[in-house]
Amino acid sequence: MADEKPGLRSSTEVLTRGFDPRLSVGSARPAVFRSSTYVFSSPEAAERAFDLVAGRAKPQPGEQPDLIYSRFNHPNAEIFESQIVPLENGARAAIVFNSGMAAITTALFTFLRPGDTILYTVPIYGGTQSLIEGFLESWGVKGIAIQAGETEAIENAIRTTPNLRVILIETPANPTLTMTDILSAARASKTAGSARSGEPPMLMVDNTLLGPTFQHPLDQGAHLVLYSATKYLSGFSDLIGGVALASDPELIRKMRLKRNMFGNILQPDECWMLASRLPTVRLRMNRASKNAQRIAERLAPHPKVRKMYYPSLFKDADQIRIRDAQCDFPGAMFSLELNGGKPAAFNFLRRLHLAYNAVSLGGVETLVCHPKTTTHSGLADADVTDGLVRVSVGIEDWRDLLADFEQALA
Ligand SMILES: *Cc1c(COP(=O)(O)O)cnc(C)c1O
């Protein structure tokens, strides 16, 4: 929508690019353009816009085609997509969706064909697992689960799986925070591609838990980064959204053609809200990560805590190596396994005064849930025990949160 100013640092760029106040009657912040259809500047411009949106023509550098219809595109989506790019290291294009699942579904439908195989790390988000195992299989796509964090086994699977087209990594895994090595998967994918003298399998990373602030998959060789924008990008637990980003704009262009068809673009109001939240993503995530680290490290030795899952407390040498190689900070999620199983976990949830018992994560408020009976119910995972509680730490004062957790444990 407006000129980009090259050479600026990302926290400046997020506030200055993609928006021209003259197009919002001089308003210093973007207006909300709640329109389903747009008036063409000429019949020729309409013809050109349709050639572009259908993929029959490619835009010239700097070309600003007329807007057509809000299922294809609208100003608030364009502003958001432009402004999120500088936050993701290495990204050159972004595409917004009406949920994280819409972003993941569209990515898989764009790049997979019947007969292809997808490798995916487990544990993975429940919706993603259902999509692959319960739905894509019936469309002729084979899904093979690989255990998160098993670096060598993952490399082997990438090298030896026939018809491998997509590798989908979610790291860290939820709720155990097991980390998967993105760089090693990217290298294995490249090797696999040249060994078969074809395109390397496409590496996608669900970066919802640590990105865009603490983990940068495109720098590590991933092709596509996926988000539930519902979480940290939005940050206030008040909207559902999703995003995909890539260094290669062609990948995003291909996804756009599918989004036009599926009709899963995010609405103008939500795009406007999300764009307003972008300049504070790093501030919120940094504060929440510092809070979580202080609380997790203090609660870990508590006699009622059997096990604490948090990246700064990793003991496994390979997990420590991956953490140090690909994460700037440990993030704002931890899980704790309580002595006393389900009754202990439920009593803990009942006794909390500040933290809310709710699923989801990434909000400014602290949320706590019992994965075994909620987010991970129906899934068999040995680490998701009766006593496990997952915490998404917010930006409250950490001392108040710690006191709340301690009184609930007492
Ligand atoms: C929440 C979440 C999703 C799904 O996103 P929605 O916005 O709820 O559709 C996908 N992946 C991860 C890691 C998530 O936490």
Side-chain angles (χ1 to χ4, degrees):
M1 284 206 77
D3 49 343
E4 291 167 24
K5 302 173 180 73
L8 294 177
R9 289 169 183 82
S10 54
S11 30
T12 311
E13 260 208 298
V14 70
L15 277 157
T16 54
R17 71 184 250 153
F19 168 59
D20 181 350
R22 286 170 301 183
L23 299 175
S24 289
V25 292
S27 167
R29 295 294 302 166
V32 184
F33 295 89
R34 267 194 218 103
S35 184
S36 61
T37 192
Y38 286 85
V39 179
F40 300 118
S41 51
S42 70
E44 290 77 14
E47 183 180 21
R48 174 73 181 159
F50 268 83
D51 282 343
L52 287 168
V53 85
R56 288 186 294 266
K58 290 198 182 173
Q60 299 299 311
E63 182 177 0
Q64 297 281 333
D66 274 12
L67 291 164
I68 301 174
Y69 182 67
S70 293
R71 197 181 75 242
F72 305 144
N73 204 359
H74 55 74
N76 294 102
E78 285 191 341
I79 292 166
F80 171 76
E81 287 167 352
S82 175
Q83 294 188 336
I84 193 175
V85 164
L87 291 188
E88 186 73 45
N89 282 10
R92 285 176 56 221
I95 177 167
V96 68
F97 291 94
N98 58 12
S99 69
M101 281 311 301
I104 295 167
T105 304
T106 306
L108 298 188
F109 269 95
T110 304
F111 298 107
L112 286 166
R113 299 283 171 277
D116 287 346
T117 297
I118 173 173
L119 283 176
Y120 61 102
T121 52
V122 287
I124 199 161
Y125 185 72
T128 309
Q129 187 156 1
S130 305
L131 170 67
I132 297 171
E133 293 174 7
F135 189 72
L136 281 182
E137 301 248 332
S138 65
W139 291 86
V141 172
K142 187 171 176 196
I144 298 180
I146 43 182
Q147 201 60 42
E150 300 286 328
T151 307
E152 250 181 74
I154 295 172
E155 285 178 2
N156 275 337
I158 294 171
R159 272 196 293 263
T160 57
T161 302
N163 305 319
L164 180 60
R165 174 88 344 248
V166 169
I167 305 147
L168 174 58
I169 289 177
E170 184 179 309
T171 183
N174 168 15
T176 57
L177 303 171
T178 305
M179 293 190 175
T180 298
D181 189 334
I182 301 168
L183 186 62
S184 103
R187 285 190 179 137
S189 152
K190 252 198 197 130
T191 317
S194 38
R196 291 167 206 155
S197 58
E199 289 257 302
M202 193 169 165
L203 179 59
M204 303 180 183
V205 176
D206 184 332
N207 206 27
T208 300
L209 260 62
L210 285 182
T213 309
F214 302 138
Q215 182 172 268
H216 318 290
L218 298 175
D219 285 350
Q220 311 263 323
H223 301 101
L224 197 69
V225 173
L226 299 162
Y227 283 98
S228 168
T230 313
K231 316 294 167 56
Y232 292 100
L233 292 175
S234 153
F236 289 82
S237 304
D238 56 4
L239 66 86
I240 302 282
V243 197
L245 299 109
S247 348
D248 179 2
E250 185 57 18
L251 301 180
I252 299 300
R253 197 186 68 83
K254 286 181 176 158
M255 288 181 72
R256 245 173 237 289
L257 297 176
K258 295 290 181 293
R259 188 184 67 179
N260 293 346
M261 226 185 334
F262 298 160
N264 53 8
I265 191 171
L266 188 64
Q267 298 276 342
D269 289 277
E270 279 74 14
C271 287
W272 178 85
M273 288 168 74
L274 262 186
S276 322
R277 307 284 168 76
L278 291 181
T280 61
V281 173
R282 285 189 187 148
L283 303 177
R284 289 184 274 110
M285 288 188 79
N286 274 306
R287 169 68 182 263
S289 175
K290 287 201 171 74
N291 279 356
Q293 184 164 358
R294 286 171 171 142
I295 297 165
E297 290 176 0
R298 278 167 179 80
L299 287 183
H302 194 286
K304 299 227 168 116
V305 175
R306 180 195 297 236
K307 186 160 185 193
M308 175 65 81
Y309 296 90
Y310 188 68
S312 71
L313 299 169
F314 282 171
K315 294 196 177 71
D316 180 85
D318 201 46
Q319 285 293 298
I320 291 171
R321 177 190 64 79
I322 298 171
R323 177 198 70 198
D324 292 348
Q326 73 187 28
C327 306
D328 300 336
F329 283 94
M333 303 279 300
F334 64 80
S335 296
L336 64 170
E337 192 186 330
L338 301 180
N339 288 318
K342 186 171 164 183
F346 275 29
N347 281 332
F348 178 71
L349 294 181
R350 255 191 286 275
R351 286 182 192 138
L352 288 168
H353 300 308
L354 298 178
Y356 294 123
N357 176 18
V359 298
S360 198
L361 57 105
V364 289
E365 71 291 324
T366 298
L367 300 178
V368 180
C369 75
H370 184 248
K372 177 88 185 263
T373 51
T374 59
T375 53
H376 291 63
S377 60
L379 300 174
D381 185 329
D383 291 329
V384 182
T385 58
D386 288 328
L388 193 76
V389 172
R390 184 186 83 184
V391 183
S392 166
V393 178
I395 64 169
E396 304 92 335
D397 193 297
W398 68 273
R399 291 162 295 198
D400 293 333
L401 291 173
L402 179 64
D404 193 29
F405 289 129
E406 282 173 337
Q407 67 78 23
L409 284 173

